[in-house]
């Protein structure tokens, strides 16, 4: 299961889905050859010997060295980690798109466990879990005393069983009882936002997402405009992101570049089936109607749009294919490689950063919309957690160049999407229908944001 550094990027687009955010790649195969730091290795062995000889209880060798590996990976950045047997099994399950859980993405934030996103329609989302929530307990056990693997393991279980999640909000703890479910969900939903305007929501980039999107596009009858909604989309498979962007861009168009320390971790990715087509599977973009690559297009994003969703957004924006509307995205612009050490364990660590076609860095910065539309703020809204807020996050190599990149927005709930409070969707309709007398200019629409509903907008 070990490959050269060159193979890391070659295999990137057949990547494993992440435990937190996507962009994991299967792994180098050759063990690295380098000179070991003698003093540090001797110190490690000295501590091991002292524990074995003097610890009050019996110290298991596997436990000790698993802990050493875990600490080594955790010292790197927010997305690098040691994978035990259960975690490796979860990687495989999530890669297939079939796993049991409650449907949330979480990240460690300075010794707190925060929700980055709750998948639309998942048990967690239906129970009221929101991005930015702090999880303090699982089945009554405090998460502060658990390793990340233990927290994930407690959230998983058999379909139909219940897990109690303690959520801290405004110095109060609320316990939500959530029923676990098989999370092989539909990730593409299509509604009409207005006559002739198709509103396509992608909740995450799963294994079937690109095929489902292609099928949905083929059913549309040459619409006058499309609204691609990637709000609260935590990402997923990079190969799926390539296919989704490829549905709207001409073959050969540059989508993004990856830059790492080793030459083999550098690549420029284009709309080409070798970057998204699974071996032995049909080309999901074959047979798409020609209008999909020319129809007027807008993309909706917010602070919970992450990783693969950011790659798609950045590509469509830089290639002048779409107008991006909403708020700055999450900023998860790094690639993780998953390497199996043996049949029961592995490691995941960061090998490269993502850049848009015009060279804009995504890591810790995100993608800034062409039209910034901030959601309404409720009295109890918390500010959204971003990549740059995570402990040990990789800092951006490019400086923030606008105040918009430093601004913090509130949490946005999917329950507001498609309602009278959905200002981003209203703006997209106005952009795509400038001839409509009801919304002749964006300024006129802005003046009318007093709560009036958008005509013909369907609630999800």
């Amino acid at each position: 299961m070990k490959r050269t550094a060159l193979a890391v990027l070659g295999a990137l687009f057949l990547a494993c889905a992440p435990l937190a955010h996507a962009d994991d790649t299967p792994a180098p195969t050759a063990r690295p050859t380098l000179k070991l730091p003698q003093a540090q290795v001797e110190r490690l062995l000295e501590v091991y010997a002292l524990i074995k000889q003097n610890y009050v209880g019996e110290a298991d060798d596997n436990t000790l060295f698993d802990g050493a590996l875990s600490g080594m990976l955790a010292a790197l950045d927010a997305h690098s980690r040691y994978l035990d047997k259960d975690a490796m099994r979860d990687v495989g399950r999530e890669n297939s798109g079939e796993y049991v859980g409650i449907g949330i993405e979480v990240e460690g934030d300075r010794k707190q466990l925060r929700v980055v996103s709750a998948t639309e329609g998942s048990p967690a989302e239906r129970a009221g879990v929101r991005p930015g929530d702090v999880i303090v307990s699982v089945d009554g056990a405090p998460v502060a005393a658990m390793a990340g693997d233990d927290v994930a393991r407690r959230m998983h279980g058999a379909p139909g069983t219940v897990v109690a999640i303690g959520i801290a909000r405004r110095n109060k703890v609320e316990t939500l009882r959530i029923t676990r479910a098989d999370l092989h969900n539909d990730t593409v939903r299509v509604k009409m936002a207005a006559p002739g305007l198709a509103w396509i929501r992608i909740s995450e980039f799963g294994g079937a997402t690109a095929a489902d999107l292609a099928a949905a596009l083929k059913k549309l009858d040459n619409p006058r405009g499309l609204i691609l909604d990637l709000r609260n989309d935590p990402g997923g498979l990079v190969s799926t992101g390539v296919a989704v962007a490829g549905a709207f861009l001409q073959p050969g168009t540059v989508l993004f570049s990856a830059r790492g320390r080793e030459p083999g971790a550098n690549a420029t990715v284009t709309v080409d089936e070798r970057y998204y087509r699974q071996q032995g599977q049909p080309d999901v973009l074959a047979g798409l109607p020609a209008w999909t690559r020319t129809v007027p297009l807008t993309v909706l994003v917010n602070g919970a749009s992450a990783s693969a969703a950011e790659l798609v957004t950045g590509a469509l924006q830089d290639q002048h294919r779409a107008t991006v509307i909403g708020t700055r995205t999450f900023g998860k612009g790094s690639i993780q490689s998953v390497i199996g050490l043996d049949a029961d364990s592995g490691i995941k660590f960061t090998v490269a950063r993502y850049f848009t076609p015009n060279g804009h860095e995504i890591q810790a910065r995100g993608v800034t919309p062409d039209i910034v539309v901030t959601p309404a703020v409720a009295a109890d809204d918390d500010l959204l957690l971003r990549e740059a807020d995570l402990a040990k996050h990789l800092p951006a190599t490019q400086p923030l160049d606008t105040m918009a990149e430093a601004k913090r927005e509130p949490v946005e709930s999917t329950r507001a999407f498609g309602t009278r409070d959905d200002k981003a969707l209203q703006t997209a309709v106005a952009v795509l229908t400038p001839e409509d007398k009801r919304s002749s200019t964006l300024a006129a629409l802005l003046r009318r944001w007093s709560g009036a509903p958008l005509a013909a907008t369907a609630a999800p």
Side-chain angles (χ1 to χ4, degrees):
M1 278 200 55
K2 303 170 180 69
R3 304 176 198 148
T4 64
L6 182 61
V8 176
L9 262 294
L12 168 62
F13 310 101
L14 303 178
C16 295
L19 298 181
H21 286 290
D23 307 279
D24 301 338
T25 91
T29 48
R31 290 188 183 275
T33 58
L34 73 163
K35 184 178 180 180
L36 294 177
Q38 190 68 26
Q40 285 81 359
V41 172
E42 289 180 355
R43 177 179 296 180
L44 175 64
L45 295 177
E46 179 183 4
V47 172
Y48 167 75
L50 287 170
I51 292 172
K52 293 292 287 186
Q53 293 170 10
N54 300 293
Y55 182 64
V56 66
E58 187 69 26
D60 176 71
D61 286 347
N62 288 333
T63 300
L64 289 177
F65 282 100
D66 282 357
L69 292 173
S70 181
M72 187 184 304
L73 271 296
L76 296 176
D77 63 65
H79 303 291
S80 297
R81 58 176 296 199
Y82 173 68
L83 304 173
D84 62 13
K85 182 177 181 179
D86 290 327
M88 287 292 284
R89 184 173 60 247
D90 289 340
V91 166
R93 287 174 175 171
E94 293 179 4
N95 188 39
S96 70
E98 297 180 358
Y99 62 100
V100 174
I102 60 175
I104 59 173
E105 300 283 344
V106 297
E107 289 287 3
D109 173 32
R110 295 170 177 83
K111 297 185 178 181
Q112 291 183 324
L113 192 67
R114 283 188 180 271
V115 176
V116 173
S117 67
T119 302
E120 185 174 358
S122 68
E125 197 266 347
R126 292 195 300 268
V129 176
R130 304 180 304 177
D133 282 344
V134 176
I135 298 177
V136 296
S137 66
V138 180
D139 285 335
V143 300
M146 301 181 202
D149 292 344
D150 293 336
V151 176
R153 197 171 298 121
R154 285 172 180 264
M155 289 187 186
H156 295 169
T161 60
V162 175
V163 60
I165 305 295
I167 300 291
R169 295 173 180 161
R170 298 289 182 179
N171 298 320
K172 295 181 180 180
V173 176
E174 178 182 358
T175 299
L176 303 177
R177 293 180 59 79
I178 306 175
T179 301
R180 300 179 179 94
D182 184 339
L183 295 179
H184 188 76
N185 293 333
D186 293 333
T187 58
V188 179
R189 300 181 183 182
V190 181
K191 294 178 181 290
M192 301 308 292
L197 296 185
W199 172 28
I200 303 174
R201 267 202 52 73
I202 298 181
S203 59
E204 62 181 307
F205 289 79
T209 300
D212 290 347
L213 172 64
L217 290 172
K218 291 175 183 178
K219 291 179 181 178
L220 294 174
D221 185 17
N222 196 17
R224 60 174 173 163
L226 293 180
I227 301 169
L228 181 63
D229 193 344
L230 302 181
R231 291 176 294 179
N232 284 37
D233 184 329
L237 299 175
V238 179
S239 56
T240 296
V242 173
V244 168
F248 306 106
L249 292 166
Q250 297 296 333
T253 304
V254 173
L255 298 179
F256 60 87
S257 61
R259 305 177 194 173
R261 180 179 176 184
E262 293 294 322
N266 293 275
T268 297
V269 177
T270 62
V271 179
D272 188 300
E273 65 180 87
R274 72 176 184 262
Y275 293 119
Y276 65 81
R277 186 175 183 178
Q278 304 290 334
Q279 187 174 6
Q281 298 296 315
D283 182 352
V284 295
L285 300 186
L288 279 179
W291 62 258
T292 66
R293 295 181 169 93
T294 59
V295 66
L297 178 67
T298 58
V299 179
L300 306 184
V301 294
N302 62 11
S305 304
S307 68
E310 295 177 279
L311 295 182
V312 172
T313 302
L316 295 174
Q317 182 183 58
D318 279 8
Q319 297 296 353
H320 305 289
R321 179 64 187 90
T323 300
V324 179
I325 299 170
T327 55
R328 184 170 58 90
T329 60
F330 183 80
K332 202 283 186 179
S334 61
I335 307 169
Q336 282 69 48
S337 176
V338 176
I339 303 176
L341 300 177
D342 53 39
D344 294 331
S345 65
I347 59 175
K348 180 174 83 167
F349 62 99
T350 303
V351 296
R353 299 169 183 262
Y354 285 128
F355 294 80
T356 69
N358 289 345
H360 175 89
E361 183 178 18
I362 293 175
Q363 175 60 25
R365 297 181 70 193
V367 178
T368 300
D370 301 303
I371 301 174
V372 176
V373 179
T374 304
V377 182
D380 61 346
D381 273 351
D382 292 322
L383 294 179
L384 189 68
L385 174 74
R386 295 187 183 278
E387 173 77 13
D389 299 318
L390 303 179
K392 294 187 179 297
H393 72 273
L394 284 178
T397 61
Q398 299 175 350
L400 300 181
D401 52 17
T402 67
M403 288 301 294
E405 290 184 343
K407 185 179 178 181
R408 299 286 299 275
E409 290 87 19
V411 170
E412 190 170 9
S413 172
T414 58
R415 297 180 182 184
F417 297 168
T419 70
R420 68 179 61 189
D421 296 320
D422 194 344
K423 298 179 181 180
L425 182 61
Q426 294 181 30
T427 302
V429 171
V431 167
L432 292 171
T433 56
E435 74 287 354
D436 192 328
K437 294 181 180 179
R438 292 170 302 168
S439 54
S440 57
T441 66
L442 181 58
L445 180 64
L446 292 170
R447 287 195 297 271
R448 294 205 306 273
W449 274 349
S450 59
L454 175 68
T457 297

